[in-house]
Amino acid sequence: MSSKPDASRPRAADTKKVHIADTQMTRQNWYKHVNWLNVTFIIGVPLAGCIQAFWVPLQLKTAIWAVIYYFFTGLGITAGYHRLWAHCSYSATLPLRIWLALVGGGAVEGSIRWWARDHRAHHRYTDTDKDPYSVRKGLLYSHLGWMVMKQNPKRIGRTDITDLNEDPVVVWQHRNYIKVVLTMGLIVPMLVSGLGWGDWYGGFVYAGILRIFFVQQATFCVNSLAHWLGDQPFDDRNSPRDHIITALVTLGEGYHNFHHEFPSDYRNAIEWHQYDPTKWTIWTCKQLGLAYDLKQFRSNEIEKGRVQQLQKKIDQKRAKLDWGTPLDQLPVMEWDDYVEQTKNGRGLISIAGVVHDVTDFIKDHPGGKAMIKSGLGKDATAMFNGGVYYHSNGAHNLLSTMRVGVIRGGGEVEIWKRAQKENSEYVRDETGQRIIRAGQQVTKMPEPIPTADAA
């Protein structure tokens, strides 16, 4: 006899608890989806600081100190958390690593280990469900939602952080993160203002709380604004973009399309006129002997990426244009039929063995009706390619849209030869169409060619 199951023991299915993020949000359980700790630090504390600012006067010295400390802690994220630890784009001496770990902690954005781990997942799984702050889930989500709403950590893409676990500075900061946050985020800015000019409370509110708020929002813009606003000069398959506004907000992190293409480059901006104070800071540290092994992608590879993207954009524009019927798709016409149709009132003209219907263009011909009518029903190759007027590139392009056939015995063999040459030698775009360079049109002859005249 089979024994009855023990009702006191949970069933196998019950042993796997479903994460709240994998359940549907309702009016009854919405509060369970909220990460209340992050809400407190990211929204609640700054809101309290804004309220206190109504009663705490802002002194000029405190304002200047708040801006200076904003740059210190911001660079702790951009030069430290991001370019040093997340991407290993350069190496830093122990004093610089300790300094970046401290001021980075003052930005109150999590430990180096946590921050860099998520950022590596973001690069590896950009715009997918495994991206912890994918902009595909919405601009607001990528900016703030991923922080204030609970995420299932098992849904985030896996990354290798072995190097971070072996870095004693990273390990120390991770273990003492709360102490670092309180000290560098609030106590230090308050001490400087208090001991410096007696503004203890102002230092706490402006250089502490509100400065943290602005640094956080600037960093969050890299996850949101940099994936939404701007151009994509290197690759448009994913969302990262370049824009000066984002760069100004994020201490140079706004050239994000470049960064996602070349993440191990210590620069985000490669042009001299582009705003990237993080790059300048790292370079300055190198001159001072605090940083070394600054990594740069070869300019040849960078330019290849830029040219490839330009070509892709050109191909997309080219595909929308009318380049005329391809030569190998044109019907073959007998010379007598060509002449007969012309006599019956159809405006046909043969150039380089290709027949064009110019009926509707005769009245618009810049050289006058008489000139174009004189070539109807004849071989007008020499007329079109020689004489006083050699015809412009635009004229050849326009003529290609009027193709209707190829003359048999009037150059069709040469046409087929040229078609085969086009298939083997000429560059084609993404749609498979031949790229027509200026001067490469089939009607453009360096010298007038002799054609068989059946007349």
Side-chain angles (χ1 to χ4, degrees):
M1 294 178 63
S2 60
S3 60
K4 295 182 179 180
D6 186 353
S8 63
R9 300 186 62 180
R11 291 176 295 177
D14 295 335
T15 60
K16 297 183 179 180
K17 186 178 180 180
V18 179
H19 194 278
I20 186 65
D22 296 332
T23 64
Q24 185 177 4
M25 185 185 299
T26 65
R27 292 182 179 180
Q28 289 73 32
N29 71 353
W30 68 268
Y31 63 92
K32 295 181 180 179
H33 286 262
V34 178
N35 188 325
W36 291 107
L37 181 62
N38 285 347
V39 169
T40 301
F41 283 109
I42 298 174
I43 299 177
V45 174
L47 182 61
C50 290
I51 295 174
Q52 293 178 66
F54 282 101
W55 293 278
V56 179
L58 176 59
Q59 297 184 25
L60 179 59
K61 292 180 180 180
T62 303
I64 295 174
W65 163 237
V67 172
I68 293 174
Y69 202 54
Y70 168 87
F71 273 88
F72 282 166
T73 53
L75 289 170
I77 296 296
T78 59
Y81 279 39
H82 188 206
R83 303 192 196 185
L84 175 60
W85 281 296
H87 293 297
C88 304
S89 63
Y90 70 100
S91 299
T93 59
L94 182 60
L96 180 57
R97 284 161 52 213
I98 292 175
W99 169 250
L100 291 172
L102 290 174
V103 292
V108 194
E109 296 183 16
S111 69
I112 298 168
R113 184 179 182 276
W114 175 85
W115 197 102
R117 179 250 180 271
D118 271 12
H119 192 72
R120 289 180 181 181
H122 165 66
H123 271 261
R124 186 179 183 184
Y125 303 100
T126 304
D127 297 338
T128 68
D129 289 338
K130 293 184 178 182
D131 181 349
Y133 27 85
S134 172
V135 76
R136 302 297 186 200
K137 298 178 181 179
L139 185 65
L140 184 59
Y141 179 88
S142 63
H143 185 81
L144 197 63
W146 71 280
M147 289 286 287
V148 299
M149 303 302 293
K150 291 180 180 178
Q151 289 195 73
N152 186 349
K154 294 181 180 180
R155 301 292 183 188
I156 300 175
R158 298 181 62 183
T159 57
D160 181 12
I161 57 172
T162 304
D163 58 317
L164 301 179
N165 293 332
E166 295 174 351
D167 188 326
V169 175
V170 174
V171 174
W172 173 84
Q173 196 233 37
H174 187 73
R175 290 176 177 174
N176 299 277
Y177 179 67
I178 298 300
K179 296 176 183 178
V180 174
V181 165
L182 294 176
T183 302
M184 300 302 295
L186 297 172
I187 296 176
V188 167
M190 182 177 64
L191 282 175
V192 172
S193 297
L195 296 176
W197 49 90
D199 189 14
W200 295 89
Y201 207 16
F204 178 78
V205 173
Y206 294 105
I209 295 177
L210 295 183
R211 186 265 320 159
I212 291 173
F213 172 73
F214 284 111
V215 170
Q216 288 178 342
Q217 295 305 310
T219 304
F220 296 162
C221 282
V222 180
N223 303 333
S224 58
L225 204 62
H227 287 261
W228 178 72
L229 177 66
D231 301 321
Q232 297 176 298
F234 297 98
D235 196 353
D236 62 359
R237 291 175 299 171
N238 292 318
S239 61
R241 299 171 181 272
D242 289 0
H243 203 284
I244 180 61
I245 291 180
T246 316
L248 291 172
V249 171
T250 61
L251 301 184
E253 303 281 19
Y255 301 100
H256 214 51
N257 192 254
F258 172 85
H259 173 62
H260 269 256
E261 281 296 292
F262 313 102
S264 62
D265 198 307
Y266 87 97
R267 308 162 300 172
N268 259 210
I270 57 175
E271 304 296 341
W272 67 268
H273 55 83
Q274 294 176 323
Y275 180 76
D276 189 359
T278 303
K279 172 187 68 177
W280 303 330
T281 299
I282 296 172
W283 181 87
T284 302
C285 288
K286 177 185 177 183
Q287 308 312 308
L288 297 174
L290 297 172
Y292 57 97
D293 191 23
L294 277 59
K295 297 177 182 177
Q296 293 186 34
F297 261 81
R298 290 190 299 168
S299 59
N300 182 70
E301 307 312 307
I302 294 173
E303 286 308 306
K304 281 198 297 188
R306 196 198 306 271
V307 169
Q308 287 171 331
Q309 182 63 12
L310 284 173
Q311 187 64 60
K312 184 177 182 179
K313 291 180 179 179
I314 290 173
D315 289 346
Q316 291 171 348
K317 289 184 178 180
R318 180 186 291 112
K320 299 177 182 179
L321 302 176
D322 178 10
W323 296 92
T325 305
L327 295 177
D328 55 3
Q329 296 180 21
L330 292 172
V332 177
M333 299 176 63
E334 300 291 341
W335 179 263
D336 292 341
D337 183 38
Y338 160 65
V339 175
E340 184 67 24
Q341 289 191 43
T342 305
K343 290 180 179 179
N344 291 334
R346 192 177 180 189
L348 300 181
I349 190 168
S350 174
I351 300 174
V354 181
V355 180
H356 305 82
D357 189 340
V358 297
T359 305
D360 297 331
F361 182 69
I362 294 176
K363 64 180 185 301
D364 298 321
H365 185 234
K369 297 180 181 179
M371 183 66 69
I372 194 171
K373 283 184 176 180
S374 65
L376 298 181
K378 303 176 182 179
D379 182 355
T381 304
M383 179 188 299
F384 193 76
N385 283 282
V388 177
Y389 190 54
Y390 197 61
H391 278 95
S392 67
N393 185 64
H396 286 273
N397 282 339
L398 177 62
L399 190 65
S400 69
T401 65
M402 304 176 188
R403 298 171 182 167
V404 293
V406 176
I407 295 294
R408 185 191 303 278
E412 85 281 3
V413 174
E414 293 301 319
I415 293 299
W416 302 139
K417 287 181 180 179
R418 265 179 276 159
Q420 291 299 317
K421 184 178 181 181
E422 290 173 3
N423 289 332
S424 61
E425 295 185 5
Y426 285 89
V427 180
R428 294 183 176 273
D429 62 22
E430 291 185 333
T431 65
Q433 296 298 317
R434 183 169 74 89
I435 296 176
I436 309 295
R437 309 292 188 194
Q440 289 183 351
Q441 300 90 339
V442 66
T443 50
K444 188 81 171 181
M445 298 295 171
E447 296 180 2
I449 63 171
T451 57
D453 193 341

